[in-house]
Amino acid sequence: MSQTPLKLFNSLTRQLEEFQPVHPGEARVYSCGPTVYNYPHIGNMRAYVFADVLGRTLSFKGYKLTHVINITDVGHLTDDADAGEDKMEKMAAERAQSIWDIARHYTEAYWADVKALNIRQPAKWTIATEFVPAMIDFAKSIADKHCYELDSGLYFDVSTVADYGRLARAVTEEGEGRIDEVEGKRNAADFAIWRKTPAGEKRQMEWDSPWGKGAPGWHLECSVMSGQVLGFPFDIHTGGIDHREIHHPNEIAQNQAFCCTNGLNVPANSGANVWMHNNFLVERSGKMSKSSGEFLRLQLLIDKGYHPLAYRMMCLQAHYRSELEFSWEGLQAALVRLKRMVMAVATLRGQGEPAPEAGERFSAYLERFGAAVADDLNTAVGLTVLEEVVALKKVDAGQKLAAIAAMDSVLGLGLLALDRTDLRLRPKAATITEAEIEAVLTERKDARAAKDFATSDRLRDELAAQGVEVMDGDPLGWDWKLGE
Ligand code: AMP
Ligand code: ZN
């Protein structure tokens, strides 16, 4: 195994730091999960591919991993501010459906995407609504010293903790986030930790509390679920960069208050030692917005004939802290790269089982691969080392497979399970069957063998009219593909 120590970029200190676990030999990680009021878009899924690669890297480096991802099924407002509607309640009202049904449906859709992208199951999925009593207890323990009550809820006074917003300042220096005006707030950045149901209204999801009927604030949820399951301080907290501005500074403020009030000796009181953020997946034409008709869900990629792991490959090719621009051409290129690997590995698999160990011949490659991912998860470099191994000739096939398997335990491309036919997906719009395509291609091959190029061209045009692109001389040996 690679000897290079793991270095991760900590948004809190703005620097690369060597990973020092709180509990020797262990790594405890919490990732902010989805708000289940709609399908996730592929940008959201980039956040979980990143968290998965982090978890796999920690496992690869020999740490015993405990990963927790939450499901926000209550409490997330339509933006980061305190006023406005709960995303879940809003969608339930629009659809005239029970909020619980909405939550179940979109949680399952999210889990399907998690599976399709080879994202490993965390040790625990924490469901926010199952932690409401613990949230009330947490809020009660900090209310006296750190909170005040207004008509609309219980608010956290950010001036009661040291250095509020340092995480956001790490990015903007100004800490400019969206904060709204609520009459009576002591500081502009104060936020609701408990939101009271307005008098005369009834929410589908509401609980009794010392501050009246209502629902927890979104920031409170993550503080409670992470602290309860992993214990303060835990090692790493992840999320998308949008969370650096408001959600995570507010979680940190609550954690500081809780740890001080409850006599916990937590270094810097942030709750987690390392805060990590993935950059955004961007798309120029606005299809990432969930309000646009054809928004970029993983299923849309699949319907167009792309294997979901081509999207994972696309994510791995970029550094998680860089913006990644989505394009269909980029996805196609990632698919081709994946195909090349899958075909080479499938050929090797045909020659036997992976050896128990990769052996001496591969140790320098594994060391370089390990050093790449230990360098703040540089999967882009890791992929090139993997490709060097795939291209090695005159080496023991079993040992080579073992080396590839070790690298793929971090990358998660499923190289030891996929075949090239798995990657050939049927676009939803296609009507021609694979057997029909193969039959025409055999006929065409015969025509070409007989130098009957007129027939050969006619058959190719007929296939093209049905969306089948024949790829003569494709170095990958992919003789055809179904287009859109
Ligand atoms: P949400 O369900 O809106 O809470 O988002 C789930 C996760 O996706 C959060 O960690 C967000 O920070 C992250 N996220 C949202 N949009 C994008 C994007 N375009 N690219 C990458 N991550 C994103
Ligand atoms: Zn969160």
Side-chain angles (χ1 to χ4, degrees):
M1 190 204 303
S2 160
Q3 299 307 310
T4 315
L6 176 61
K7 284 198 175 156
L8 300 171
F9 187 84
N10 188 352
S11 301
L12 210 49
T13 58
R14 284 155 270 184
Q15 60 192 15
L16 280 176
E17 288 173 3
E18 191 174 318
F19 177 63
Q20 305 281 3
V22 175
H23 305 271
E26 277 193 49
R28 302 188 184 183
V29 181
Y30 180 88
S31 299
C32 279
T35 310
V36 284
Y37 71 104
N38 203 340
Y39 295 107
H41 56 54
I42 55 172
N44 299 131
M45 296 314 294
R46 184 183 186 198
Y48 307 109
V49 169
F50 150 65
D52 182 53
V53 169
L54 171 66
R56 285 168 175 270
T57 302
L58 288 160
S59 302
F60 180 74
K61 300 295 283 178
Y63 296 102
K64 180 177 166 284
L65 174 71
T66 308
H67 191 189
V68 173
I69 307 180
N70 74 288
I71 301 287
T72 303
D73 55 354
V74 61
H76 194 322
L77 300 187
T78 42
D79 63 31
D80 280 340
D82 289 318
E85 293 166 280
D86 184 305
K87 280 183 176 172
M88 299 289 303
E89 296 269 348
K90 184 166 179 271
M91 184 55 105
E94 272 171 28
R95 296 269 174 91
Q97 261 181 308
S98 139
I99 201 165
W100 300 95
D101 289 343
I102 300 251
R104 190 175 324 111
H105 176 77
Y106 292 114
T107 302
E108 278 166 14
Y110 164 69
W111 281 338
D113 286 2
V114 161
K115 187 158 182 265
L117 288 168
N118 255 354
I119 292 167
R120 294 196 305 188
Q121 287 289 312
K124 192 167 174 61
W125 296 104
T126 53
I127 314 285
T129 47
E130 293 174 4
F131 283 77
V132 176
M135 292 170 196
I136 293 172
D137 285 347
F138 183 115
K140 272 198 317 217
S141 81
I142 62 171
D144 285 353
K145 282 194 187 153
H146 299 276
C147 305
Y148 57 94
E149 210 173 325
L150 296 178
D151 286 347
S152 53
L154 182 70
Y155 282 78
F156 190 96
D157 179 341
V158 298
S159 69
T160 62
V161 291
D163 205 13
Y164 170 79
R166 66 187 183 285
L167 180 68
R169 274 197 300 278
V171 188
T172 61
E173 290 307 323
E174 297 294 313
E176 49 182 52
R178 278 165 299 166
I179 34 180
D180 66 338
E181 285 170 22
V182 172
E183 216 176 301
K185 273 201 332 190
R186 293 179 190 164
N187 312 285
D190 290 355
F191 56 91
I193 72 169
W194 186 263
R195 295 177 302 113
K196 296 183 196 174
T197 306
E201 274 184 33
K202 173 137 187 54
R203 288 193 184 131
Q204 284 198 44
M205 280 185 180
E206 57 183 11
W207 290 262
D208 287 321
S209 82
W211 316 283
K213 265 200 189 346
W218 172 41
H219 319 302
L220 178 65
E221 297 180 2
C222 281
S223 280
V224 171
M225 290 185 278
S226 60
Q228 277 252 317
V229 179
L230 297 176
F232 289 134
F234 57 94
D235 294 299
I236 306 173
H237 193 308
T238 79
I241 43 165
D242 51 331
H243 291 346
R244 276 191 311 203
E245 299 293 321
I246 293 184
H247 181 46
H248 289 170
N250 290 353
E251 263 189 77
I252 289 172
Q254 294 167 152
N255 296 350
Q256 283 175 278
F258 181 83
C259 291
C260 293
T261 312
N262 291 280
L264 292 179
N265 178 21
V266 178
N269 292 314
S270 298
N273 285 350
V274 185
W275 292 74
M276 293 178 73
H277 297 96
N278 64 278
N279 211 323
F280 265 32
L281 180 80
V282 293
E283 203 269 340
R284 282 171 204 265
S285 66
K287 293 232 171 86
M288 201 74 89
S289 159
K290 294 185 186 180
S291 54
S292 76
E294 192 189 56
F295 81 85
L296 282 172
R297 280 177 61 191
L298 193 63
Q299 189 59 46
L300 179 70
L301 274 49
I302 296 168
D303 288 347
K304 288 187 186 277
Y306 293 95
H307 195 280
L309 291 175
Y311 177 62
R312 185 176 174 107
M313 171 66 95
M314 196 175 176
C315 293
L316 298 178
Q317 291 179 159
H319 193 266
Y320 76 89
R321 284 196 287 126
S322 304
E323 237 176 38
L324 170 59
E325 179 154 343
F326 178 81
S327 69
W328 294 104
E329 295 75 23
L331 185 64
Q332 177 62 32
L335 178 64
V336 169
R337 191 173 186 190
L338 179 62
K339 271 178 198 169
R340 286 180 190 278
M341 288 187 190
V342 163
M343 286 169 66
V345 177
T347 307
L348 269 179
R349 277 165 37 212
Q351 296 166 20
E353 292 294 308
E357 294 275 331
E360 193 60 18
R361 177 73 179 86
F362 296 92
S363 59
Y365 291 97
L366 279 166
E367 181 59 40
R368 275 172 55 218
F369 177 86
V373 293
D375 179 17
D376 199 25
L377 315 180
N378 198 334
T379 48
V381 171
L383 279 168
T384 61
V385 180
L386 169 62
E387 281 167 329
E388 284 180 46
V389 169
V390 168
L392 283 178
K393 303 257 184 327
K394 296 194 184 119
V395 289
D396 181 87
Q399 289 190 355
K400 183 168 162 178
L401 273 178
I404 292 169
M407 294 180 188
D408 200 39
S409 74
V410 176
L411 300 170
L413 291 169
L415 295 178
L416 272 82
L418 284 177
D419 281 312
R420 83 180 221 183
T421 48
D422 296 326
L423 293 177
R424 192 153 67 190
L425 292 191
R426 192 176 175 71
K428 208 172 157 198
T431 51
I432 190 165
T433 66
E434 301 208 355
E436 284 164 349
I437 298 171
E438 294 293 352
V440 179
L441 283 175
T442 309
E443 200 183 323
R444 182 166 177 265
K445 217 189 256 161
D446 294 344
R448 282 163 73 96
K451 300 212 177 336
D452 178 359
F453 295 112
T455 304
S456 155
D457 287 352
R458 177 178 55 78
L459 291 170
R460 190 192 55 208
D461 294 347
E462 276 177 24
L463 285 173
Q466 298 185 75
V468 181
E469 192 187 330
V470 180
M471 299 188 287
D472 289 327
D474 178 353
L476 290 182
W478 278 69
D479 39 4
W480 59 269
K481 82 169 180 158
L482 267 171
E484 281 170 47

